[in-house]
Amino acid sequence: MDHLTKTENSVKWQSPSNIAIVKYWGKKGIQIPMNPSISFSLSNAVTETEIVYTPKQNTEEVSLDFYFNGTRNHAFEDRFLKYLTQIKSEFKLLTQFHLSINSKNTFPHSAGIASSASSMSSMVLCLLSIEHKEKQLSKDAFLKKASYLSRLASGSACRSVYPGFSLWGKTSVLHSSSDEYAVPLSEIHPVFNDLQDSILIVNSKQKKISSSAGHLLMELHPFKEARIEQANQHATQLIKALKLGDFASFIRLCETEALSLHAMMMTSNPSYVLMEANSLKIIEKIRQFRNDSGFDLCFTLDAGPNIHLLYPKLIKEEIIKFIKAELLVYCESDNWIVDEMGNGPKKLDKQFYER
Ligand code: DP6
């Protein structure tokens, strides 16, 4: 095969965003989490990344240009350049080729949904495909390496390389777990296999404090040890609930985690608040509707004001009615996004052999 023909000089992957149930909050060393986290990959909120690579003079410098939705983006370019320079010993190709990276999100950029997990993991998957196109790396080894390298770019990105639920961070209840990469959670009861995520956009503006700044504030947080202990217990309990199909425990853990995350922000020094009045209104409505209807639904939040409403597909129709009747009034311009658990990343180009 001639690898230098025009069509074979590019590779393209799609990778999803994910929503954490047990939250990663606080890190140590080089992107090592203070506590284990568990999330599931989404289906619609994905980034598509294509890397076109052309041979260049073999210098030590990484060289790239980065386009977001077809337009050159210098802010992203600087972030990618910094990351790729950091990991250049992992990839020979980084010194052999000039990279033109083209990325686009299928979800609105302004929706206030974190995109670093999907964008970083899709970029890493492209690089690994180029580097390993002739090596017979097993699918498991390929994904483990993708998870490891994604973690170095953005912690939550390491959980995006798997379908369904995954766990990142060492925990005594799962032997294969690691601080260095995420692992898929395979023993999942069917009641959790088709989880829906309706994302209620309370405010789409970029958050005031980045997650990276929030992680840093955990280092000297007065509740640091208690939070690490709590997250470890929650991870253990969630793994069990997912295995048994225990939706009541899932709801309790999911909501406690979301509120603990925000409590950490409110009690850090300096303290800050990312929830808004309408986030609290929605939370109140969700709890009331759950009490009145007996349906299995619950909320979680990322590091922002938007509410992820989670529920099984079986009750989708009723929940959508509830959203339209009672929640949209608290959303910015009636804005909400329909998503659900997804099947993980997908290779979009067909030039190379399929794994
Ligand atoms: C609240 O992965 O964005 O979404 O490693 O600094 O890139 P960096 O942080 P990031 O943090 C995500 C935090 C969270 C919880 C979670 O996804 O587990």
Side-chain angles (χ1 to χ4, degrees):
M1 215 195 317
D2 176 7
H3 296 302
L4 296 180
T5 62
K6 187 108 184 92
T7 48
E8 284 173 345
N9 267 349
S10 72
V11 61
K12 192 171 184 181
W13 276 87
Q14 166 186 302
S15 189
S17 186
N18 65 72
I19 178 69
I21 308 302
V22 176
K23 309 290 184 182
Y24 147 54
W25 203 238
K27 52 179 147 182
K28 51 193 182 188
I30 302 174
Q31 291 285 102
I32 296 297
M34 278 184 187
N35 62 267
S37 58
I38 297 175
S39 64
F40 67 86
S41 290
L42 295 173
S43 175
N44 299 333
V46 301
T47 300
E48 278 179 25
T49 296
E50 179 178 38
I51 297 187
V52 178
Y53 54 106
T54 44
K56 71 170 177 81
Q57 289 239 320
N58 203 343
T59 62
E60 286 308 297
E61 301 285 300
V62 177
S63 103
L64 65 91
D65 31 58
F66 184 88
Y67 296 83
F68 186 71
N69 291 337
T71 308
R72 186 122 182 222
N73 184 311
H74 291 282
F76 279 126
E77 196 166 294
D78 289 349
R79 184 166 175 190
F80 278 94
L81 193 63
K82 197 169 153 215
Y83 165 68
L84 293 178
T85 303
Q86 239 172 37
I87 58 151
K88 74 179 177 196
S89 59
E90 300 273 352
F91 291 110
K92 271 206 309 288
L93 71 97
L94 289 175
T95 45
Q96 293 169 339
F97 295 101
H98 172 81
L99 310 179
S100 196
I101 307 178
N102 295 280
S103 219
K104 65 173 192 233
N105 290 344
T106 57
F107 50 102
H109 184 49
S110 61
I113 302 191
S115 59
S116 68
S118 53
S119 63
M120 292 303 180
S121 54
S122 58
M123 192 246 318
V124 163
L125 286 160
C126 286
L127 292 177
L128 275 176
S129 276
I130 301 170
E131 187 84 357
H132 290 285
K133 70 177 187 269
E134 281 148 20
K135 289 184 201 160
Q136 292 297 325
L137 206 62
S138 73
K139 188 174 175 188
D140 285 357
F142 181 86
L143 291 179
K144 189 181 276 189
K145 188 146 192 211
S147 180
Y148 166 82
L149 291 166
S150 299
R151 178 200 111 231
L152 294 173
S154 175
S156 56
C158 76
R159 300 182 310 236
S160 274
V161 307
Y162 301 108
F165 281 97
S166 59
L167 162 80
W168 169 38
K170 192 69 198 156
T171 157
S172 55
V173 284
L174 195 74
H175 219 64
S176 59
S177 62
S178 170
D179 282 343
E180 308 256 324
Y181 47 81
V183 293
L185 279 179
S186 49
E187 280 186 81
I188 304 291
H189 190 279
V191 294
F192 296 113
N193 276 346
D194 60 5
L195 275 180
Q196 305 293 297
D197 182 4
S198 296
I199 311 166
L200 304 152
I201 309 298
V202 169
N203 190 335
S204 62
K205 285 201 204 74
Q206 217 174 355
K207 50 201 181 211
K208 294 167 275 185
I209 312 269
S210 69
S211 286
S212 298
H215 289 298
L216 260 181
L217 290 174
M218 284 308 288
E219 273 173 31
L220 296 174
H221 200 289
F223 304 142
K224 173 177 160 180
E225 295 310 324
R227 168 60 196 156
I228 294 173
E229 174 65 27
Q230 181 196 45
N232 272 283
Q233 281 176 13
H234 284 169
T236 304
Q237 290 167 16
L238 184 63
I239 291 170
K240 194 169 160 205
L242 291 174
K243 208 183 279 185
L244 298 176
D246 177 356
F247 223 109
S249 294
F250 178 85
I251 289 171
R252 179 180 56 80
L253 293 164
C254 184
E255 295 190 352
T256 311
E257 272 294 310
L259 296 174
S260 277
L261 170 71
H262 283 261
M264 289 303 112
M265 298 172 195
M266 292 180 200
T267 50
S268 63
N269 183 13
S271 126
Y272 63 108
V273 183
L274 294 184
M275 270 203 247
E276 296 187 11
N278 282 345
S279 320
L280 289 170
K281 278 279 177 206
I282 293 175
I283 288 175
E284 203 177 290
K285 285 278 178 192
I286 290 171
R287 286 185 160 172
Q288 196 182 337
F289 183 70
R290 182 169 65 229
N291 281 341
D292 295 348
S293 67
F295 286 140
D296 285 330
L297 69 158
C298 59
F299 65 83
T300 187
L301 293 92
D302 263 337
N306 304 322
I307 304 283
H308 291 247
L309 175 53
L310 309 180
Y311 52 93
K313 197 172 191 162
L314 193 67
I315 55 169
K316 188 172 179 178
E317 215 172 296
E318 289 85 348
I319 299 294
I320 287 181
K321 267 190 220 150
F322 161 61
I323 291 173
K324 288 184 176 162
E326 300 203 45
L327 303 184
L328 282 194
V329 60
Y330 303 112
C331 296
E332 180 187 77
S333 320
D334 288 353
N335 192 1
W336 65 301
I337 294 175
V338 179
D339 214 332
E340 61 184 338
M341 184 178 286
N343 297 324
K346 210 160 96 188
K347 195 158 182 278
L348 297 178
D349 64 295
K350 296 281 178 240
Q351 287 97 327
F352 302 131
Y353 73 88
E354 295 298 332
R355 256 155 243 290

